[in-house]
């Protein structure tokens, strides 16, 4: 077998083992108690568990508290414009399909200023994980109404109470053609958060996860009751769902929901007395824009030859 | 009465007269959908192949489907061809083929027709059973008879019906045949070109079109008493012929860019139509995004992750891309933005030419966002400018805006076939590890330049940010860092400026008047300068290719002329109009820029006619501008 | 020369994978050529800027900004030239280089490894170019690009771009266990089997992420192009079992595996290195894989979620092992 005498080293760049500190960068500058910390922890855990190569991984975000996310990771990052994370992520993934792409957005980011991109990214169904860190408020700009602010909640732009009922990111996403993965989780249930993000990462398509996130600064108390009282939470369970066994004993309200059932997903995603967490919908067979438009690889000589052929059509 | 009889009645000799002329401008005008443009394209291509200089430009009505037989609905094409090179669409049309009298009146009212224009007019309308149509015909002919036009009635429909029973189809090929006879074009080449134009259609379609063309040729031979010869000089080098948008698309292919993100907008869209057909086989992706903002974001995302990407748009789209362009400048992500300008503001004149986006392209981004703006002046330059733009964007990690316009986008002109080079192509991505401790924004302290690793390069991980940042791409909370990084982003543009050469002067290097132009007006300006100089005026011109940074030496060049005046297709207040004073006068956009940059008293002559500037009008403006300047610096 | 119909159709089914390998090799070749051609300076800059820059940009000045990488030294140039030759040979050779005739002589695994090591030159070449670029290539330490690159040393990325091979061998010489170490990355082996073989020699290679099949006809390989993972497929002529194990078909073994035929008579004779008992055991293994477990697993989630812990463990294990196909 070794009649060859190649003594090239076995390069170990694929054999590296990544520990938490290979992903952690800097001290997050979120408020103490901010739910964004837990999301970062869960994502770091995923990176370690999946051993994602830091140089092959890109976190794209918009602008907002939540969008500082990439700065706290030692992967590649793109902290771009308010509302515009998804187009940037689309560009990254279209051009470099081999990269692992994660998108981190706030509720203003995704559901207000970036709403057009949200709808279309859902429909493009390119492989990437989209995390909506939903604190129901504009955090960075200090307590303005967001599309998901509860009706009646007082903010600096609507001091007499938010007049309209909140937009439902789940039903909106589930209502979009070609939707392929929609889940909801809460940052204060780390096992569920982690399991959900992991399932999203493993989904071959656009995996949209709404993460209910506490903002002790501006929406203090919004989830107090829910955090204290697991009875206010209802878990969607199924063999094909996301059901971390660790929380069996605590969260006992359960609805069996087959995540391949879109109609039932849409019904369950409506706001109700209890907060529903789990995998609402997953379909691994949806059309994927990134695969459909992927071009062949072409060498520079081929390019020149092809362009000369093109010029022949226009030659006189 | 047959047309031939009409000719006889006009008392012209039956023997065919052959006029030999250095150039001619023709138009084919019709209701939209009658194929006039196809006829003109084929004719123009054949002229070019035979060795004429050619400029073709489409006549596009403002509405997509205007009602038939209205003056504003004129749709068609103008072809100006000559023994020598042709650089613009010229002034007026010498010969028109009109499919109805109303579109002809439309062209007449726009002043498009030369006073002695020859008109070949479809005459079936004269005997139309509809009394309104008949009346309209009579009225139009009465109106037109007051001018020096020579109107030849042609029974196009009657003739075409002998080949095809749909009278709306086929007149264009009949017209092509008439033109082929008049200008003695090679039938073989015409048929070749018809075959190419209908390459996606059946053999029967080709055969029918050829039969119609030959019918027109035969009719003209039997009935016309004149032919016109525009001597040809067989091309010395291989040529290609295409419009400016195709040239931009091919330039992008030649530059090796692999991703174009866009949102449809006239007159830029046809670049993407072209790319949509071929980009994939070149390994490229044409992404039609959900809006222009997303298109810019996708292009920037791709550029950040690999090779320089580009986006194509027109004015309204450029406005939407503004914030992303600012981000690309801040994060020093290379990006090529092509703006095919149209009339504005707002939805403006979607299909018509204007040069009103200059300032928006230069300084439209809030915050300090220095970047590169350049303008191709010819269709050939549309092709080559993309190669240069990508190279500059990559070298300086900057945004490069290419300003084309609706004149270039639809104009068709032959130019030397580009000799493709591998060096034009974007290099393959280098994903090799980055040396330890290298920071993503290590600005060269003198030049301001820096390069960043791309995702995939081990050891190079960083988070790009649109916030002010230091060399490590860490968000800067320190004003000193902001001062420094802003300086660095500006400095590299100064460095680029130092690599630029002085613009060439057309005409003498000193004199009374220097006309300064940019973009698609070059051919018309230089033709006007030629005419002015032939009259003995001391006028020269220079055409600026780089608008940001400006090419060096302008102040010194300007100082050698008594007067400097820009000619632009954008708005300026004409002096002497009500309320307009020297103080409040709004000037052309380039004039504003040049005044600010050179402190010279740069005047301007600008118009927004919704059509390319005619050399004759520029010539008149030059005459006016030189009145009283007669310095006699011979 | 692969005149055999089966070999020709197998090679054509593998064309996409061959294409991927060739594109990778030609990328490397282009890089090498570019390194040789690269002479920073005004003439290159003038060429790169194109005609639009003529008379408008001073290439000498522009080159001061754009020069970028530095030129090659003498040893660097030599090794890059060597690489260009090697890669030109690989790219110039026909697809026959992806065909390994083994015949009756045996030693299939050996022959396959030797061929992979040779074709691995495309990978070594890329690595050496990186080293040359960083000025850290050392012939003694790193070896020559023509040394051959044993599969054992290939990295995951290189295995993902492995050249596919069509191997023609005698049924008696088909020993799946020898091939097991090659089931990785995007390695594709199509075995054209002559004469009788053990009934289910490939059953032992079945694992959650690998496409393993025994088929009659290489035309069944059409779906192979889209599969992203290792594959070993035997094209057989005798009475052996016929089955397809496709990781894309589901998360449980019985969903992924489709058995189209089992031999009617149980094996009774030793064949090659496999005893009759081993052959029967291969078949038993295949049977066990294709049968769904009797335990009513699906009931677990249907109730209120308090499933039996062992069920949950099973489900979890299945989920874990099933992931490889979801890449
Ligand atoms: C174009 C633009 N408009 C407005 C802003 C100001 N802005 C920054 S973040 C933000 C909202 C943040 O809320 P959200 O997206 O929910 O993120 P959070 O801070 O709550 O995580 C706004 C309005 C901006 N940066 N850019
Ligand atoms: S303001 Fe709210 S969302 Fe922002 S960091 Fe503080 S707690 Fe988190
Ligand atoms: Mg928020």
């Amino acid at each position: 077998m070794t009649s060859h005498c190649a003594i090239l080293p076995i390069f170990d760049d694929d054999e590296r083992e990544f520990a938490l500190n290979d992903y952690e960068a800097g001290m997050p500058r979120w408020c103490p108690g901010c739910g964004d910390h837990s999301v970062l922890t869960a994502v770091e855990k995923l990176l370690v568990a999946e051993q994602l190569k830091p140089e092959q991984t890109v976190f794209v975000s918009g602008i907002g508290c939540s969008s500082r996310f990439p700065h706290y990771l030692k992967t590649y990052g793109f902290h771009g414009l308010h509302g515009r994370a998804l187009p940037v992520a689309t560009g990254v993934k279209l051009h470099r399909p081999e990269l692992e792409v994660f998108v981190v957005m706030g509720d203003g980011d995704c559901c207000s200023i970036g709403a057009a991109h949200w709808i279309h990214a859902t429909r493009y169904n390119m492989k990437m994980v989209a995390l909506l860190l939903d604190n129901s408020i504009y955090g960075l700009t200090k307590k303005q109404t967001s599309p998901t602010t509860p009706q009646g909640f007082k903010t600096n732009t609507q001091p007499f109470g938010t007049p309209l009922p909140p937009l439902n990111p789940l039903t909106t996403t589930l209502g979009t053609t070609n939707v392929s993965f929609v889940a909801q989780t809460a940052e204060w249930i780390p096992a569920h958060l982690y399991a959900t993000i992991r399932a999203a990462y493993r989904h071959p398509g656009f995996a949209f996860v709404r993460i209910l996130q506490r903002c002790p600064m501006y929406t203090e108390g919004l989830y107090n009751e829910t955090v204290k009282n697991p009875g206010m939470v209802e878990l969607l369970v199924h063999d094909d769902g996301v059901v971390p066994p660790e929380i069996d004993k605590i969260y006992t309200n359960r609805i069996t929901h087959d995540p391949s059932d879109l109609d039932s997903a849409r019904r369950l995603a409506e706001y109700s007395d209890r907060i529903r967490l789990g995998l609402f919908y997953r379909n691994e067979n949806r059309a994927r824009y990134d695969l459909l438009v992927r071009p062949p690889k072409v060498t520079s000589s081929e390019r020149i030859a092809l362009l000369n052929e093109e010029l022949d059509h226009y030659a006189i | 009465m047959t047309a031939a009889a009409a000719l006889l009645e006009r008392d012209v000799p039956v023997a065919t007269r052959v006029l030999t002329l250095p150039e001619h401008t023709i138009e084919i005008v019709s209701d939209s959908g009658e194929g006039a443009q196809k006829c003109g394209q084929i004719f123009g291509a054949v002229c070019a192949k035979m060795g004429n200089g050619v400029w073709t430009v489409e006549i596009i009505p403002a509405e997509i489907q205007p009602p038939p037989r209205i003056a504003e609905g004129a749709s068609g094409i103008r072809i100006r061809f000559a023994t020598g090179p042709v650089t613009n669409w010229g002034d007026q049309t010498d010969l028109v083929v009109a499919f109805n009298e109303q579109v002809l009146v439309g062209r007449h009212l726009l002043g498009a027709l030369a006073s002695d224009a020859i008109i070949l007019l479809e005459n079936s309308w004269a005997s139309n059973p509809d009394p309104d149509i008949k009346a309209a015909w009579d009225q139009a002919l009465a109106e037109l008879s007051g001018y020096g036009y020579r109107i030849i009635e042609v029974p196009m429909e009657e003739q075409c019906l002998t080949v095809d029973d749909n009278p709306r189809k086929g007149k264009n090929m009949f017209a092509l045949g008439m033109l082929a006879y008049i200008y003695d074009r090679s039938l073989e080449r015409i048929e070749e070109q018809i075959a190419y134009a209908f390459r996606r259609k059946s053999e029967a379609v080709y055969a029918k079109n050829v039969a119609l063309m030959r019918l027109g040729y035969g009719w003209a031979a039997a009935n016309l008493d004149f032919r016109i010869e525009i001597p040809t000089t067989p091309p010395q080098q291989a040529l290609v012929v295409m419009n400016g948008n195709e040239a931009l698309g091919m330039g992008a292919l030649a530059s090796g860019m692999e991703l174009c993100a866009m949102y449809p907008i006239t007159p830029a869209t046809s670049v993407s139509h072209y790319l949509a057909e071929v980009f994939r086989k070149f390994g490229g992706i044409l992404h039609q995004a959900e809006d222009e903002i997303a298109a810019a974001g996708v292009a920037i995302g791709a550029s950040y992750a690999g090779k320089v990407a580009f986006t194509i748009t027109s004015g309204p789209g450029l406005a939407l891309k503004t914030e992303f362009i600012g981000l690309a400048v801040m994060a020093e992500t290379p990006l090529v933005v092509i703006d095919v300008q149209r009339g504005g503001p707002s939805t403006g004149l979607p299909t018509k030419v204007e040069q009103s986006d200059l300032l928006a392209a230069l300084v439209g981004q809030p915050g300090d966002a220095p970047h590169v703006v350049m303008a191709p002046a010819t269709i050939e330059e549309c092709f080559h400018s993309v190669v240069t733009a990508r190279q500059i964007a990559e070298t300086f990690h900057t945004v490069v805006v290419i300003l084309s316009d609706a004149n270039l986008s639809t104009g068709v002109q032959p130019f030397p076939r580009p000799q493709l080079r591998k060096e034009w192509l974007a290099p393959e991505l280098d994903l090799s590890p980055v040396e330890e401790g290298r920071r993503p924004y290590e600005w060269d302290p003198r030049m301001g330049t820096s390069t960043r690793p791309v995702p995939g390069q081990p050891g190079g991980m960083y988070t790009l940010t649109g916030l002010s940042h230091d060399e490590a791409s860490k968000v800067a909370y320190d004003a000193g860092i902001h001062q420094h990084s802003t300086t660095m982003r500006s400095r590299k543009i100064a460095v680029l400026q130092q690599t630029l050469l002085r613009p060439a002067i057309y005409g003498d290097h000193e004199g009374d008047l220097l006309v300064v132009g940019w973009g698609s007006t070059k051919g018309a300006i230089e033709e006007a300068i030629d005419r002015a100089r032939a009259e003995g005026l001391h006028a020269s011109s220079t055409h600026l290719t780089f608008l940001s940074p400006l090419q060096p030496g302008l102040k010194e060049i300007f100082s050698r002329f008594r007067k400097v005046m820009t000619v632009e297709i954008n708005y300026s207040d004409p002096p002497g109009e009500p309320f307009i004073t020297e103080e409040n006068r709004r000037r052309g956009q380039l004039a504003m820029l040049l005044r600010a940059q050179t402190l010279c008293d740069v005047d301007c002559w600008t118009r927004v006619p919704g059509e390319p500037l005619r050399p004759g009008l520029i010539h008149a403006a030059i005459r006016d501008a030189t009145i009283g300047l007669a310095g006699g610096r011979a | 020369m692969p005149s055999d119909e089966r070999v020709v159709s197998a090679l054509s089914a593998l064309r996409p994978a061959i294409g991927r390998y060739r594109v990778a090799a030609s990328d490397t070749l282009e890089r090498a050529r570019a390194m040789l051609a690269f002479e920073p300076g005004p003439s290159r800059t003038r060429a790169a800027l194109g005609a639009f820059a003529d008379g408008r940009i001073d290439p000498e000045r522009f080159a001061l900004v754009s020069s970028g990488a530095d030129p090659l030294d003498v040893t660097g140039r030599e090794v890059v030239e060597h690489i260009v030759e090697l890669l030109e040979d690989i790219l110039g050779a026909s697809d026959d280089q992806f065909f390994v005739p083994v015949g009756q002589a045996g030693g299939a695994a050996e022959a396959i490894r030797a061929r992979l090591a040779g074709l691995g030159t495309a990978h070594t070449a890329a690595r050496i170019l990186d080293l040359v670029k960083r000025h850290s290539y050392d012939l003694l330490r790193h070896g020559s690009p023509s040394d051959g690159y044993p599969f054992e040393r290939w990295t995951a990325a290189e295995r993902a771009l492995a050249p596919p091979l069509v191997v023609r061998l005698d049924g008696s010489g088909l020993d799946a266990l020898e091939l097991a170490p090659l089931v990785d990355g995007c390695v594709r082996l199509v075995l054209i089997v002559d004469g009788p073989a053990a009934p289910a020699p490939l059953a032992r290679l079945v694992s959650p992420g690998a496409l393993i099949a025994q088929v009659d006809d290489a035309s069944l390989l059409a779906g192979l192009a889209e599969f992203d993972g290792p594959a070993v497929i035997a094209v057989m002529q005798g009475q052996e079992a016929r089955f397809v194990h496709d990781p894309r078909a589901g998360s449980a073994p019985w969903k992924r595996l489709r058995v189209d035929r089992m031999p009617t008579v149980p094996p009774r004779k030793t064949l090659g290195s496999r005893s009759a008992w081993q052959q029967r055991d291969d078949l038993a293994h295949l049977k066990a894989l294709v049968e769904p477990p009797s335990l009513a697993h699906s009931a677990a989630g249907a109730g209120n979620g308090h499933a039996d812990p062992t069920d949950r463990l099973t489900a979890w294990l299945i989920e874990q092992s099933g992931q490889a196909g979801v890449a």
Side-chain angles (χ1 to χ4, degrees), chain B residues 361-607:
Chain B
L362 286 170
V363 291
Q365 310 74 34
D368 188 65
H371 60 280
V372 180
V373 178
M374 53 193 228
T378 62
I379 288 159
E380 179 179 16
E381 286 187 1
C382 284
F383 178 95
H384 292 289
S385 64
V386 190
V387 172
T388 312
R390 189 202 63 74
Q391 193 69 39
I392 293 176
E394 182 184 289
T395 304
F396 287 89
H397 291 86
T398 188
V399 175
V400 180
V401 181
I402 297 177
L403 290 175
S404 177
D405 64 33
N407 182 24
L408 293 173
S409 69
T410 53
V412 175
Q413 188 192 27
F415 61 86
R417 180 179 173 128
Q419 299 304 307
L420 309 175
R421 305 208 44 157
K422 277 195 181 172
E423 288 90 341
W424 293 353
L425 300 173
E428 282 310 309
L429 288 188
D430 175 359
L431 298 180
S432 58
V434 173
E435 64 279 23
E436 191 102 7
R438 189 175 166 290
R439 285 159 302 156
Y441 292 90
E442 276 176 13
W443 291 290
D444 178 304
R446 286 186 66 244
M447 299 208 283
T449 48
S450 61
T451 51
R452 268 151 298 290
V454 294
Q457 279 191 275
M461 290 79 73
Y462 74 103
T463 290
L464 173 148
T465 178
L467 276 90
S468 188
H469 48 267
D470 63 13
E471 295 206 336
S473 196
K474 292 282 168 261
V475 176
Y477 296 99
D478 169 345
I481 292 174
H482 188 60
Q483 178 71 38
H484 179 63
S485 58
T486 308
T487 307
M488 293 290 94
R489 288 188 294 271
S490 183
R491 180 71 53 77
K492 65 183 183 185
I493 303 300
V495 171
L496 172 61
Q497 194 269 350
Q498 292 283 304
T499 74
L500 301 183
L501 300 169
R502 294 157 69 95
I505 311 284
Y506 188 77
D508 290 341
H509 286 231
E510 55 181 26
D512 290 338
L513 177 70
L514 179 72
V515 170
V516 188
W518 65 281
S520 72
T521 50
K522 184 178 186 186
I525 291 176
E526 291 183 353
E527 189 169 334
I529 292 286
D530 286 342
R531 295 187 199 173
R533 294 177 70 80
E535 292 177 344
L537 298 179
H538 298 284
S540 302
S541 69
T542 188
H543 214 72
L544 301 184
T545 306
F546 284 88
L547 288 322
S548 166
L550 283 167
Q551 283 155 275
L554 295 180
K555 192 165 178 151
E556 194 275 325
I557 292 169
F558 293 176
S559 72
R560 290 189 262 121
F561 292 84
R562 288 166 188 262
K563 180 174 171 120
V564 178
M565 178 178 88
T566 68
V567 167
E568 307 176 62
I569 317 179
N570 51 40
Y571 183 77
S572 62
D573 292 319
E577 299 265 301
F579 302 107
I580 301 306
T581 67
E582 184 58 20
E583 196 179 60
N584 72 10
R585 180 180 175 210
R586 295 179 59 244
R587 291 179 167 80
Q589 299 194 2
L590 179 62
M592 269 173 84
L593 177 69
L594 293 177
R595 291 169 76 91
Q597 283 294 105
T598 64
L599 281 184
C600 294
D601 187 6
V602 177
D603 197 0
C604 59
W605 179 87
T606 76
R607 289 291 181 275

Side-chain angles (χ1 to χ4, degrees), chain B residues 18-193:
Chain B
V18 179
L19 295 165
T20 303
L21 299 169
E23 67 159 274
H24 227 221
T25 301
I26 66 174
E27 285 185 7
I28 304 125
V29 286
S30 66
D31 291 337
S32 71
E34 293 189 302
Q37 287 163 354
K38 184 151 263 171
C39 162
Q41 284 155 358
I42 294 172
F43 185 78
V46 169
C47 291
K49 286 187 179 186
M50 293 178 66
N52 284 134
V54 180
W55 183 279
T56 316
V57 63
E58 289 173 8
I59 299 160
I60 304 167
E63 280 178 73
I64 302 285
Q65 267 305 350
R69 293 179 44 79
I70 61 165
E72 312 80 68
S75 160
I77 191 161
R78 170 185 280 198
I79 304 124
R80 183 184 182 200
F81 58 115
T83 302
V86 180
T87 62
N88 66 86
W89 76 325
D91 291 302
Q92 290 178 318
T93 299
D94 303 305
L95 183 142
V96 186
V97 182
F99 291 7
N100 70 59
E101 79 292 347
Q102 295 304 317
V103 293
L104 177 66
V105 167
R107 299 304 291 160
H108 162 75
L109 293 175
L110 279 173
L113 310 183
S115 55
D116 58 351
I118 301 170
I119 294 165
L120 296 160
L121 176 62
E122 159 72 272
N123 71 356
S124 67
W125 313 106
S127 49
N128 197 288
D130 182 337
D132 290 348
I133 290 181
K134 174 87 181 72
W137 166 274
D138 290 341
Q139 195 190 341
L141 265 80
E143 154 80 15
L144 292 168
S145 69
Y147 298 82
Y149 306 140
R150 178 173 174 206
I151 300 180
I152 302 166
E153 292 183 24
V154 184
M156 292 187 218
E157 182 168 324
E158 180 190 308
Q159 289 281 319
C160 290
L161 283 172
T162 63
V163 174
D164 189 335
D165 39 12
N166 180 350
R168 265 183 65 83
K169 290 252 170 75
K171 275 184 202 171
N172 61 341
M173 290 296 123
F174 186 87
L176 179 61
M178 291 196 294
L179 294 170
Y181 168 77
I182 295 170
Y183 296 100
D184 195 12
R185 303 286 100 163
S186 144
L187 282 181
E188 197 186 319
R189 288 198 192 258
I190 296 251
E191 285 172 15
E192 242 173 57
Q193 209 59 38

Side-chain angles (χ1 to χ4, degrees), chain A residues 168 170-171 174 234 236 255-258 263-272 276 280:
Chain A
N168 184 332
L170 297 177
T171 52
L174 286 165
E234 207 158 42
L236 304 188
I255 309 178
T256 300
H257 164 64
D258 176 352
D263 284 338
S264 143
R266 286 176 177 156
R267 250 178 290 112
L268 291 169
E270 291 294 346
Y271 284 125
S272 73
R276 297 201 177 112
F280 284 82

Side-chain angles (χ1 to χ4, degrees), chain A residues 20-307:
Chain A
L20 193 56
N21 64 3
D22 290 310
Y23 299 108
E24 282 175 330
M27 270 296 285
R29 283 175 173 253
W30 292 305
C31 305
C34 173
D36 292 346
H37 292 285
S38 337
V39 182
L40 181 63
T41 305
V43 165
E44 286 169 344
K45 187 173 161 196
L46 176 84
L47 294 172
V48 177
E50 299 286 347
Q51 287 290 296
L52 293 187
K53 290 188 198 141
E55 73 272 12
Q56 290 286 350
T57 309
V58 185
F59 278 81
V60 182
S61 65
I63 294 290
C65 294
S66 39
S67 288
R68 290 164 177 262
F69 209 92
H71 286 286
Y72 307 137
L73 288 168
K74 266 194 230 154
T75 64
Y76 280 91
F78 192 114
H79 179 204
L81 296 182
H82 186 39
R84 318 291 175 199
L86 286 167
V88 171
T90 302
V92 171
K93 191 73 187 172
L94 277 179
H95 187 46
R96 297 285 309 280
E98 71 278 22
L99 298 175
E100 304 279 4
V101 178
F102 292 80
V103 186
V104 182
M105 298 168 287
D107 40 319
D109 223 23
C110 175
C111 310
S112 192
I113 187 168
H117 311 312
W118 166 35
I119 304 291
H120 290 280
T122 303
R123 180 165 155 261
Y124 298 152
N125 190 34
M126 301 182 31
K127 169 145 181 57
M128 59 178 75
V129 175
L131 303 177
L132 166 58
L133 274 56
D134 189 351
N135 56 2
S136 304
I137 199 77
Y138 285 9
L140 189 74
T141 46
K142 302 186 187 317
K143 204 178 188 182
Q144 296 84 19
T145 307
S146 104
T148 59
T149 303
Q151 192 167 21
F153 190 89
K154 295 192 170 74
T155 70
N156 285 331
T157 41
Q158 286 169 338
F160 307 109
T162 300
L164 292 173
L167 181 145
N168 184 332
L170 297 177
T171 52
T172 307
T173 314
L174 286 165
T176 302
T177 308
N178 212 34
V179 58
S180 76
F181 184 107
V182 178
Q184 175 156 274
T185 182
E187 53 62 26
W188 60 88
I189 314 176
H192 196 269
L193 175 66
Y194 174 70
T196 309
I197 296 178
R198 193 183 66 166
Y201 168 67
R202 292 177 174 188
H203 174 67
F206 184 77
F208 179 82
V209 182
R210 181 191 187 202
I211 304 174
L212 303 178
Q213 179 225 322
R214 289 167 298 175
C215 167
M217 198 66 168
Y218 300 123
T219 52
E220 206 204 341
L222 193 60
Y223 292 115
N224 268 0
E225 274 307 295
T226 327
V227 174
K228 274 191 246 145
N229 176 7
M232 292 178 65
V233 170
E234 207 158 42
L235 293 186
L236 304 188
V237 297
H238 192 268
D239 277 357
D240 295 332
V242 173
V243 198
E246 301 92 307
I247 60 173
D248 277 359
K249 298 248 152 51
I250 310 167
Y251 291 95
T252 50
N253 294 328
R254 282 158 184 255
I255 309 178
T256 300
H257 164 64
D258 176 352
S260 67
D261 182 346
L262 184 56
D263 284 338
S264 143
R266 286 176 177 156
R267 250 178 290 112
L268 291 169
E270 291 294 346
Y271 284 125
S272 73
D273 300 344
R274 288 178 181 156
I275 288 177
R276 297 201 177 112
L277 304 182
L279 179 57
F280 284 82
Y281 186 61
R282 174 166 57 203
N283 181 344
E284 298 188 350
N285 300 315
R286 295 287 207 188
R288 268 185 53 193
Y289 183 68
D290 48 345
L291 298 184
L292 292 170
V293 302
R294 191 171 296 175
K297 255 206 83 90
V298 180
T299 65
S300 56
S301 327
E302 286 166 345
R303 257 176 233 261
I304 302 255
L306 282 167
L307 190 54

